[in-house]
Amino acid sequence: MATTESVLKPDFGSSKRHFIFTDEHERLRESIHAFVTKELAPHAEEWEETTFPDSVFRRMGELGFLGLSYPEEYGGQGGDYFCNLVLGEELTYANSGGLAMGIAVHTDMATPPVHLFGTEEQKQQYLVPSIKGEKISSLGITEPDAGSDVAGIKTRAVRDGDEYVINGSKTYITNGHRSDYIVLVTKTDPDAGYDGFTLFLVDMDTEGVIREKRLQKLGMHASDTALLAFQDVRVPETAVLGQVGKGFYHIMWELQGERLIGAAGCVAGAQHCMDRTLQYALERTAFGRQIGKFQVIRHKFAEMATKIEAARQLVYTTAWRFANGEYPVREISMAKLYASRIAVEVADECIQIHGGAGYMKEYGVERVWRDMRLNRIGAGTDEIMLDVIGRSYGL
Ligand SMILES: Cc1cc2nc3c(=O)[nH]c(=O)nc-3n(C[C@H](O)[C@H](O)[C@H](O)COP(=O)(O)OP(=O)(O)OC[C@H]3O[C@@H](n4cnc5c(N)ncnc54)[C@H](O)[C@@H]3O)c2cc1C
């Protein structure tokens, strides 16, 4: 309840947490933050050259960070969905978009379908070691000839007795070189339209799985990105994940979580980049004053802060609906679209505010821009998000 005294001065210093988070989330945030800044961030530069080591998964498994919202019976922490948001946000402080993406693929993209659709045996075989960081996962949707058009994939799985034989290729696969298994999207019945897709859990050391090429990228250098081939790969029928013929719907569900965690990462990344740039604008002087005191720069911060706050509210409210059992595909698409766009805009403005320093590797802002740029493409492009949103109005 506002009092006369409390409304005399605006409370710019207030940093009350959002209502979706509890004290427990804040404690989790502190412990992830301490780990990330102490054990990951110091290696950010080195891992741009080498990609981050697999030992990060094992360490995060030991700390319980890879199964925050999975049930305790599988080694998880039994937390809610907001714990995943906390992880996604705090990984930003590793100053390595590639690392954050490699971890998010494991925690929020490849393992959720195993948890939701997997049999008990599959959960024991894949989810339990994934939560411990002993098995690393990847997710194979995109192919050389089909990315946005998921229904256009060509990878085929053909039944042969009590096995399936898989042929095809996947590209741009994050963790593709390091992963122990892949959640693979295939077509089992090309004539059945959306009802002709099936997901498989494929061990990456199965005969016929070929890790072809380590792909070179604009950013996200700390992650590994693979071109994969599947040549007469034989898997037992127990490798089917979820229902035969329902893989398209299963993967569309997976994409919602992927887009939402990506959006949360974009907001946190944009905030972190702006905070660092604010510091710079208060230290750097030109024409006898701090550059941040020029109106034009001040307004850049005002624009950035407003966009970040708007994106944050959209992400949190949508996450709250998602966590409460709704399936808000339209709002998830909006959050993914908007957060990705503003994160790139913010990173770009931060380079501008740094001047020449922004173009130098030393300051790390150029890396934020290069890493962030992926978000307008990966997990569904801006154009696809716009189409999903537009179509949701019956257009
Ligand atoms: C670094 C990186 C990591 C990735 N990690 C993974 C991963 O782990 N697993 C995985 O499966 N995939 C991964 N991807 C793939 C990513 O999801 C796809 O690149 C993305 O979905 C776009 O597909 P595409 O590249 O084939 O582009 P295309 O589909 O060829 O699109 C090209 C252009 O056409 C536009 N377009 C296409 N269709 C339409 C339409 N209907 N209306 C309007 N415009 C349209 C697109 O918006 C885009 O601008 C990754 C990509 C990158 C770059």
Side-chain angles (χ1 to χ4, degrees):
M1 178 80 174
T3 62
T4 313
E5 272 167 27
S6 71
V7 296
L8 289 179
K9 282 190 184 166
D11 193 4
F12 295 133
S14 148
S15 59
K16 288 220 172 56
R17 65 168 182 243
H18 193 272
F19 67 80
I20 61 172
F21 297 119
T22 61
D23 287 345
E24 221 169 301
H25 293 119
E26 292 317 302
R27 279 195 292 278
L28 175 68
R29 189 182 292 285
E30 278 167 26
S31 82
I32 297 176
H33 189 84
F35 159 70
V36 168
T37 51
K38 199 163 145 232
E39 298 189 37
L40 303 182
H43 303 285
E45 282 300 329
E46 174 197 338
W47 292 345
E48 284 293 285
E49 304 299 325
T50 59
T51 73
F52 72 93
D54 295 354
S55 57
V56 171
F57 284 98
R58 285 192 294 278
R59 178 74 180 128
M60 288 184 70
E62 271 167 29
L63 294 169
F65 295 157
L66 297 180
L68 293 171
S69 59
Y70 290 131
E72 288 170 18
E73 60 183 300
Y74 300 114
Q77 304 300 307
D80 58 18
Y81 181 68
F82 307 129
C83 297
N84 293 37
L85 284 193
V86 170
L87 177 67
E89 291 178 344
E90 291 309 313
L91 278 175
T92 293
Y93 293 91
N95 295 328
S96 174
L99 181 143
M101 178 171 75
I103 300 297
V105 163
H106 184 76
T107 55
D108 287 81
M109 303 177 200
T111 54
V114 184
H115 175 236
L116 189 64
F117 309 123
T119 60
E120 190 52 35
E121 289 74 30
Q122 288 172 332
K123 287 181 197 171
Q124 292 300 334
Q125 195 181 341
Y126 294 100
L127 186 63
V128 170
S130 296
I131 290 172
K132 286 185 184 155
E134 291 169 357
K135 273 191 181 174
I136 299 172
S137 58
S138 57
L139 175 69
I141 308 174
T142 308
E143 301 186 356
D145 294 325
S148 303
D149 181 13
V150 176
I153 64 160
K154 295 200 183 102
T155 296
R156 283 292 314 272
V158 178
R159 197 167 179 132
D160 182 24
D162 53 9
E163 289 183 328
Y164 281 87
V165 183
I166 301 174
N167 276 286
S169 61
K170 297 285 170 184
T171 195
Y172 309 145
I173 304 306
T174 304
N175 296 343
H177 282 278
R178 65 170 96 231
S179 58
D180 297 289
Y181 70 95
I182 187 167
V183 173
L184 192 69
V185 184
T186 73
K187 252 185 197 165
T188 35
D189 184 354
D191 300 323
Y194 292 126
D195 292 319
F197 294 77
T198 302
L199 305 186
F200 285 87
L201 281 163
V202 180
D203 289 318
M204 293 294 281
D205 60 3
T206 311
E207 201 182 333
V209 177
I210 302 160
R211 307 184 206 231
E212 286 202 340
K213 211 166 38 172
R214 205 172 276 276
L215 300 168
Q216 302 299 312
K217 316 182 281 289
L218 170 72
M220 298 290 196
H221 289 165
S223 65
D224 88 64
T225 308
L227 172 63
L228 304 173
F230 297 83
Q231 291 178 0
D232 292 327
V233 176
R234 287 191 166 269
V235 293
E237 60 185 346
T238 52
V240 168
L241 178 61
Q243 283 175 265
V244 173
K246 298 298 173 204
F248 187 82
Y249 308 102
H250 293 347
I251 211 62
M252 285 300 137
W253 171 84
E254 179 284 323
L255 279 168
Q256 304 314 314
E258 173 169 349
R259 288 169 183 164
L260 201 45
I261 205 72
C266 281
V267 173
Q271 182 72 60
H272 186 37
C273 192
M274 191 190 94
D275 291 346
R276 286 160 64 188
T277 306
L278 186 58
Q279 193 63 34
Y280 184 81
L282 292 170
E283 285 163 7
R284 176 78 176 169
T285 56
F287 297 93
R289 67 168 93 161
Q290 295 159 306
I291 59 166
K293 301 285 182 182
F294 292 115
Q295 189 187 46
V296 71
I297 303 281
R298 188 159 62 233
H299 286 192
K300 283 185 195 296
F301 280 104
E303 294 274 10
M304 288 192 289
T306 305
K307 286 175 187 172
I308 292 170
E309 193 55 31
R312 180 182 289 120
Q313 299 304 327
L314 181 54
V315 169
Y316 283 174
T317 304
T318 305
W320 179 82
R321 291 180 58 184
F322 193 54
N324 282 285
E326 290 183 44
Y327 193 40
V329 171
R330 178 195 287 162
E331 289 73 17
I332 290 174
S333 309
M334 289 174 172
K336 170 18 174 118
L337 172 74
Y338 188 66
S340 306
R341 280 183 167 176
I342 68 106
V344 177
E345 287 167 17
V346 166
D348 193 65
E349 280 292 41
C350 288
I351 291 178
Q352 195 65 22
I353 294 167
H354 275 80
Y359 209 71
M360 297 297 125
K361 284 199 162 179
E362 188 187 339
Y363 288 81
V365 189
E366 54 83 40
R367 188 161 82 220
V368 177
W369 184 88
R370 287 188 287 107
D371 289 352
M372 281 297 182
R373 189 61 184 80
L374 172 64
N375 291 294
R376 294 187 50 205
I377 299 168
T381 63
D382 284 8
E383 293 74 21
I384 295 302
M385 292 306 96
L386 286 166
D387 222 46
V388 172
I389 298 163
R391 282 171 191 269
S392 75
Y393 291 100
L395 298 171

